[in-house]
Structure formats: C-alpha cells, structure tokens
Amino acid sequence: MKTKNLSFDKLINLVTLISNSIFLLVHLTYIIIFLISKTYLMVYINLFSSIFYIFLYLLLYKNKYEIFALLAGIEIISYMSVSSIICGISAGFHLCLIGITVLAFVTKYFLKNKKVVINPLIISCILVCLYIFIFFYLRYNEPVVNLPITTNNFLHIFHAIIVFIFCAGFMYILTTYVLKLEEHIIKISETDNLTRIANRNGLNNYFDILQNNTNNYIAAIFDIDDFKSINDKYGHICGDYILKTIADIAKNNSLDDFVSRWGGEEFVVISKIEENIENTIKKLDNIRIEIENYNFKYKNKNIHSTITIGIASYEENDTLDSWISRADKNLYFGKNNGKNQTIYK
C-alpha cells in the first residue's frame, strides 16, 4: 500500500505542476496578445496573474496542494469574470467557467481527504449564476475596451481550445486512475492475503473464463496432512509459514496452471492436459514429492510435512463445486488409505 500511496502523491504532484505551468503559460500568451492589440489594462492584469502563478510554485514545492487548488480556482474565476466584463462576451473568457466545473470535481476526487476543498456542487452553482450574470450584464452594457474583431475571434477560439483540452485532459487522468484502481481492487479481492495466490473468488472467476474449454483440464485438490498437529505443536505462526511455503512450491511447480487456496489447509490446482492425462497427473504428483522432500525450518526446528492430492477430470455440465467435489472424494480416499499420495479414479 505504501507504493500505491507514493504513486498517488506523485500523480498529484505531476498534475498540479503541469496545471500551474499551463496557467502561467496562458497568462504569458495573454500578455503578448494584449500587447499586440495595445490593451494595456489587460497587460497589467495578466502580469499580476503571472506573478501569482510563479508564487504558487512555492506552495507546490511544499506540497500544499489543497491551498494551491483553492487559490488557483479563485484566481481563474476572478480573472475570467473580470476579463469578460472588460473585453466583452465575444472574447470568450466566460467559456472557461465551464472548464472550471470539471476541474472542481476532479480536484475534489484527488483531494478528497482535504477539508479546505469546497464541494464541487456548490462551486458549480456559483459558476452557473456567474455565467448567467455575465451573459445578461454584457447584453445591456458595453465592454470596458473594444478589441479588434480578429483579436476577439482569436481569443474565442483560444478559449474554446483551452476548455476542451482541460476537460478532456483531466477526465482522461481521472478515468485512467479509476480504471487502474478498479483493477487493483479486483486483484486484491481475488488474492489470498496470506499465501498471495488466488483465493476461491479468483478460482470462480477463472472457472468462468474456462467454461467453453474446460474439457481439456483436470482439477486437483490437495490437503496438508496432519496440519492440525503442526499448529498444535509449533503454533499458528509456524502453520502460516508452512501454508505460504507450500503455496510457493505449488506455484513454482505449476507455472502454466492455476493455483489457488480453497480454504484452510486445502489448495486447488486447475491444470491443462498437454499431451496426455498421465503426464499431467505426474506433473501434479511432483508437487507432492517436492513437499515431501522439502526441509521446513521454523525456529531452528526441522519440520516434515506432506500432502495428499485428489484429482478429477472435468465432466460435461460440471459446476466448479461438482468438479472439485469429485476430486475431493479422491482426496479423502487417499487420506483414509495412508496419506501422502496422489489419487485419480
């Protein structure tokens, strides 16, 4: 989880740095545009905004992301509102208020644990009211400055492109992160916490994937012999060590197979029949042989452990439970007839 949180912090740092750089670059572009059109009032306003975003780099350096989001949001709303009244509705400054709505929801998600972040629904209501106010104000009032038609057209297209890029960019970041998070959650839900192999939920999902081709597979369920006595004699920590080690041995000997923990000290292996069923059974029996010969060591004590395996072929219309149930019958036949063996009937 530490790795995940670290990557999340890096993502926030990267996104805020890129955003601040874009905001600064946009204001520098405004300065050039308004210098060309000799609109010096807007030049001074954009100089102030440029200095403001240079200052915000200090907040990002100190990882004050929530304060950065709050101040940047206030600046953008204030700047776009004032610029709309000064330059008129044709310049399209008011379009950026739409982009801020998307930005507010994305910010809320990534900074969800920060109290200073305002509810995006409240921000959206404020932006809608502000948009309507600007629209009607400029219908009945002349802008402070009259920009050339070419400058107005350029600014309008420029703002439309900025809004599109920001909306698409931030939604891409959000959806990509959420999809990766969803994938991570699914993986956790299908993984046994102790042995780090698939759990029963993962096995169910794997069986669903195999539904159309299950005839080429056999199922093996194996159980650790006398596992309760190991727990009673050496303790549950030792039992966990045995479980994890046996899971590793099974996984390393079944690289092309699906290995999962069925529950307790029982494991299931779904194995594809490659050449013939005898070779596949022999491959599964190698797991038993290696565990039998393995020297388990716990607190300088040598522990001997074995497993019994029951194997069953898939039969038409089998469910996972019915398939495993037949293998389980073979397992218990082996348990009742000496243990430490592989049974296939």
Side-chain angles (χ1 to χ4, degrees):
M1 289 304 292
K2 285 185 177 179
T3 304
K4 185 169 181 57
N5 290 334
L6 183 62
S7 61
F8 182 72
D9 291 340
K10 283 184 176 179
L11 177 63
I12 295 176
N13 182 259
L14 180 63
V15 170
T16 50
L17 275 174
I18 291 175
S19 299
N20 195 63
S21 299
I22 292 174
F23 295 150
L24 178 59
L25 182 61
V26 167
H27 281 292
L28 293 175
T29 304
Y30 283 144
I31 291 173
I32 296 171
I33 294 171
F34 289 119
L35 277 174
I36 293 172
S37 63
K38 297 181 180 181
T39 312
Y40 297 113
L41 174 61
M42 291 300 297
V43 172
Y44 298 140
I45 292 174
N46 282 284
L47 278 172
F48 171 80
S49 293
S50 299
I51 294 170
F52 176 80
Y53 281 107
I54 291 172
F55 165 76
L56 289 189
Y57 279 116
L58 297 176
L59 292 178
L60 296 179
Y61 177 76
K62 295 181 179 180
N63 298 329
K64 301 292 184 180
Y65 304 121
E66 65 276 17
I67 300 176
F68 163 80
L70 183 63
L71 292 179
I74 292 172
E75 191 280 335
I76 295 171
I77 294 171
S78 302
Y79 176 83
M80 294 306 169
S81 302
V82 171
S83 298
S84 295
I85 292 171
I86 292 175
C87 299
I89 203 164
S90 298
F93 283 99
H94 63 294
L95 296 176
C96 296
L97 297 177
I98 300 171
I100 299 171
T101 304
V102 175
L103 188 58
F105 281 93
V106 174
T107 301
K108 177 63 178 178
Y109 178 80
F110 282 106
L111 299 178
K112 49 185 171 289
N113 296 325
K114 308 297 182 181
K115 294 181 180 180
V116 75
V117 179
I118 301 173
N119 190 315
L121 288 175
I122 296 174
I123 295 176
S124 299
C125 292
I126 293 172
L127 291 173
V128 168
C129 294
L130 191 57
Y131 188 98
I132 294 171
F133 169 77
I134 291 170
F135 178 81
F136 282 104
Y137 176 85
L138 292 173
R139 277 183 69 90
Y140 300 104
N141 295 275
E142 291 294 324
V144 177
V145 297
N146 291 312
L147 296 174
I149 295 176
T150 52
T151 304
N152 268 331
N153 291 339
F154 177 82
L155 284 172
H156 197 96
I157 294 172
F158 180 66
H159 290 131
I161 292 172
I162 287 175
V163 171
F164 175 80
I165 290 174
F166 261 87
C167 289
F170 277 105
M171 292 311 296
Y172 172 79
I173 292 170
L174 180 62
T175 52
T176 301
Y177 179 77
V178 169
L179 287 173
K180 286 185 177 180
L181 188 63
E182 183 180 295
E183 183 181 327
H184 179 73
I185 292 170
I186 291 173
K187 186 175 181 180
I188 290 175
S189 72
E190 295 180 351
T191 304
D192 179 61
N193 191 47
L194 175 65
T195 60
R196 309 313 301 167
I197 61 174
N199 56 19
R200 191 178 292 199
N201 186 38
L203 178 61
N204 280 321
N205 291 337
Y206 182 72
F207 179 76
D208 290 340
I209 295 171
L210 290 181
Q211 279 287 14
N212 297 325
N213 195 30
T214 327
N215 292 327
N216 296 322
Y217 288 81
I218 59 174
I221 180 168
F222 67 83
D223 180 274
I224 303 174
D225 297 327
D226 304 313
F227 185 69
K228 185 178 182 302
S229 64
I230 294 175
N231 274 333
D232 292 342
K233 186 174 181 180
Y234 300 103
H236 289 283
I237 302 299
C238 176
D240 288 347
Y241 156 70
I242 299 291
L243 286 168
K244 286 188 284 187
T245 305
I246 286 179
D248 289 338
I249 292 172
K251 187 167 57 177
N252 292 334
N253 279 272
S254 309
L255 297 178
D256 298 326
D257 302 330
F258 189 85
V259 182
S260 64
R261 187 178 179 188
W262 183 250
E265 64 270 25
E266 290 184 321
F267 297 81
V268 167
V269 181
I270 304 295
S271 185
K272 186 175 183 180
I273 302 172
E274 296 294 347
E275 298 177 359
N276 54 63
I277 195 167
E278 288 78 13
N279 287 344
T280 307
I281 292 172
K282 185 177 180 181
K283 181 180 68 172
L284 292 169
D285 189 54
N286 285 335
I287 299 174
R288 180 192 63 78
I289 295 170
E290 183 168 342
I291 291 170
E292 180 185 11
N293 296 326
Y294 191 86
N295 186 22
F296 295 91
K297 282 192 174 183
Y298 180 75
K299 292 184 177 181
N300 297 322
K301 294 178 181 177
N302 295 324
I303 302 170
H304 183 252
S305 184
T306 61
I307 64 170
T308 300
I309 305 176
I311 298 175
S313 300
Y314 178 83
E315 294 182 0
E316 191 175 356
N317 298 323
D318 257 338
T319 63
L320 178 62
D321 286 339
S322 64
W323 190 13
I324 299 299
S325 178
R326 287 201 314 280
D328 202 40
K329 288 179 181 178
N330 290 332
L331 165 66
Y332 277 94
F333 178 87
K335 284 279 190 181
N336 294 326
N337 290 273
K339 303 177 184 178
N340 189 24
Q341 55 186 308
T342 299
I343 304 297
Y344 171 72
K345 288 187 178 181

